[in-house]
Amino acid sequence: MKAIAVAPGAGVPEIVERPVPEPSAGEALVRICRVGVDGTDYEVIEGSHGGVPEGEDQLILGHEAVGVVEDANGTDLEEGQYVVPTVRRLPAGVERNEYFDNGEPDMAPEGEYVERGIVGAHGFMAEYVTSPADCLVPIPADLAPLGFLVEPISITEKAIEHARATRSAFDWQPESAIVLGNGSLGLLTVAMFTETLGYDRVYCLGRRDRPDPSIDIIEELGATYIDSRETPVPEIPTAYEQMDFVYEATGYAKHAFESIEALAPNGVAALLGVPGDWEFDVDGGRLHRELVLHNKALVGSVNSNRRHFERAIDTLSALPDWALEDLVSGVYGLEAFDRAFPEATASVAAGGHGSATPADDDTTIKTAVEFEGI
């Protein structure tokens, strides 16, 4: 079978041949239909995040996937059923783990999990994959064409759940929210805030010039676009308003601290970006006072579990069709798979080795590779 793999740091993915995997007991064989591409994939390609399975020199990419059950292999799944696979798995040779036993692999500490297509385990960017049946979440056939969006939506479902948990001691009724970052995850989250979560006022911070399709989506959703070059995060309360909820999806390390200044009293910021090492000065005493005297909170969130995937499927069905169509800027077959990785392609063309920094492309928002038509 064909798969798309990379040697982390090599700069560009390539098509490789691999044997069709055989499902073990409790596993199903899934024929992959579509796999989304996101910033984590670029970090893996660049070599700044993730890693290959032990003893191998390449990693099959892909953690945002939708497929169809080819062989149920005695599980409760049905052949022909569309499914979305979760990402975290037990490391090879490990039979038990309390986090997995409790259905919360997303809370496992580093070293007690692998992530398909990211670190330690091959991903879903292949014609066929196997997976434990309890890691395959059924999705209705009418949603399957966009099923690769379930995983990123699930990431926000978890972040929202954990943000609410920090406010559970009182009657928290947030009205305003800002998303830091206007990439595909940020745009999906803006849509959730405006369409399914009922926030009165939603903002999105970015660094793009008009005209731009991401800004068009933000504004058509009824949200307000803020250019960080004109209004940095600490100035948002004065220029606009204090925010009940800050959702950080940039990986820009200063935003973690600037979010404290943007929050309203009793507000919470969820941090999802993963920055590299960077030392800089902050007024720690002032930020500490802000957190304490105004009951503010910061929470970090990574990955998601099955219940978040199930909620994400419900959310996907509730988001407006036009927004999803505008968000997905390209679905490419194997003969043109490199077009699904424009940032890596642009970096290599310029003599680099891949990059997690967006390429100079004003039209690409979200891409996917198609292995099997839906």
Side-chain angles (χ1 to χ4, degrees):
M1 70 172 186
K2 290 181 171 58
I4 297 174
V6 69
V12 64
E14 62 177 349
I15 295 178
V16 298
E17 289 286 344
R18 295 287 188 272
V20 175
E22 292 285 341
S24 301
E27 291 187 332
L29 178 67
V30 177
R31 186 173 73 253
I32 293 297
C33 298
R34 291 179 174 180
V35 185
V37 176
D38 76 349
T40 300
D41 293 304
Y42 286 107
E43 291 169 355
V44 171
I45 292 167
E46 183 185 49
S48 63
H49 184 64
V52 300
E54 186 174 355
E56 302 197 35
D57 58 7
Q58 282 189 319
L59 176 74
I60 296 175
L61 291 167
H63 58 280
E64 304 176 350
V66 60
V68 63
V69 177
E70 177 85 358
D71 179 2
N73 193 36
T75 68
D76 291 336
L77 296 168
E78 298 179 3
E79 292 170 4
Q81 184 176 32
Y82 287 103
V83 291
V84 175
T86 61
V87 178
R88 282 201 174 175
R89 300 288 190 274
L90 283 167
V94 176
E95 295 182 0
R96 293 187 58 80
N97 176 305
E98 62 179 300
Y99 300 98
F100 285 77
D101 286 347
N102 294 333
E104 297 175 334
D106 54 308
M107 302 306 294
E110 187 174 1
E112 296 192 32
Y113 63 83
V114 295
E115 292 180 331
R116 300 284 299 259
I118 301 174
V119 58
H122 289 304
F124 308 122
M125 207 168 276
E127 291 182 287
Y128 294 92
V129 302
T130 58
S131 173
D134 61 359
C135 296
L136 297 171
V137 185
I139 182 172
D142 63 324
L143 294 179
L146 293 174
F148 59 89
L149 297 178
V150 168
E151 193 275 342
I153 293 173
S154 78
I155 298 299
T156 297
E157 294 285 356
K158 177 189 173 177
I160 291 169
E161 176 183 86
H162 282 239
R164 286 174 173 160
T166 71
R167 310 290 81 187
S168 62
F170 66 100
D171 183 22
W172 188 49
Q173 298 293 334
E175 297 180 353
S176 60
I178 184 167
V179 175
L180 307 184
N182 61 331
S184 57
L185 178 60
L187 294 177
L188 283 168
T189 304
V190 169
M192 292 170 66
F193 281 139
T194 62
E195 302 297 314
T196 67
L197 297 173
Y199 278 70
D200 293 335
R201 301 173 303 282
V202 180
Y203 304 82
C204 186
L205 185 86
R207 293 177 59 85
R208 291 202 175 201
D209 298 319
R210 300 174 187 271
D212 182 84
S214 70
I215 299 175
D216 293 342
I217 292 173
I218 291 164
E219 294 181 337
E220 192 164 350
L221 285 167
T224 299
Y225 175 69
I226 300 175
D227 190 327
S228 65
R229 296 167 295 185
E230 300 173 359
T231 309
V233 173
E235 297 178 12
I236 288 174
T238 300
Y240 296 91
E241 64 176 302
Q242 294 177 309
M243 302 294 165
D244 296 321
F245 190 11
V246 174
Y247 181 101
E248 182 277 316
T250 64
Y252 183 67
K254 284 187 176 182
H255 282 167
F257 302 94
E258 294 172 341
S259 293
I260 300 171
E261 301 178 81
L263 284 173
N266 305 322
V268 57
L271 311 179
L272 290 91
V274 182
D277 293 343
W278 181 18
E279 294 183 6
F280 50 86
D281 294 330
V282 299
D283 187 343
R286 180 171 57 83
L287 296 177
H288 192 161
R289 286 197 307 275
E290 279 292 311
L291 287 168
V292 172
L293 296 179
H294 299 290
N295 293 302
K296 298 179 180 180
L298 297 179
V299 60
S301 182
V302 66
N303 200 257
S304 54
N305 61 45
R306 185 183 178 99
R307 73 172 180 272
H308 304 126
F309 272 70
E310 291 170 344
R311 291 177 194 163
I313 291 170
D314 291 338
T315 295
L316 179 63
S317 70
L319 296 179
D321 292 340
W322 70 262
L324 299 173
E325 291 170 0
D326 289 354
L327 178 77
V328 179
S329 48
V331 177
Y332 304 100
L334 278 177
E335 73 285 352
F337 84 93
D338 57 319
R339 296 182 63 190
F341 296 89
E343 298 174 24
T345 303
S347 177
V348 171
H353 293 286
S355 174
T357 301
D360 186 14
D361 184 339
D362 292 333
T363 60
T364 298
I365 301 177
K366 181 70 175 179
T367 62
V369 176
E370 182 171 83
F371 286 85
E372 174 81 15
I374 300 177

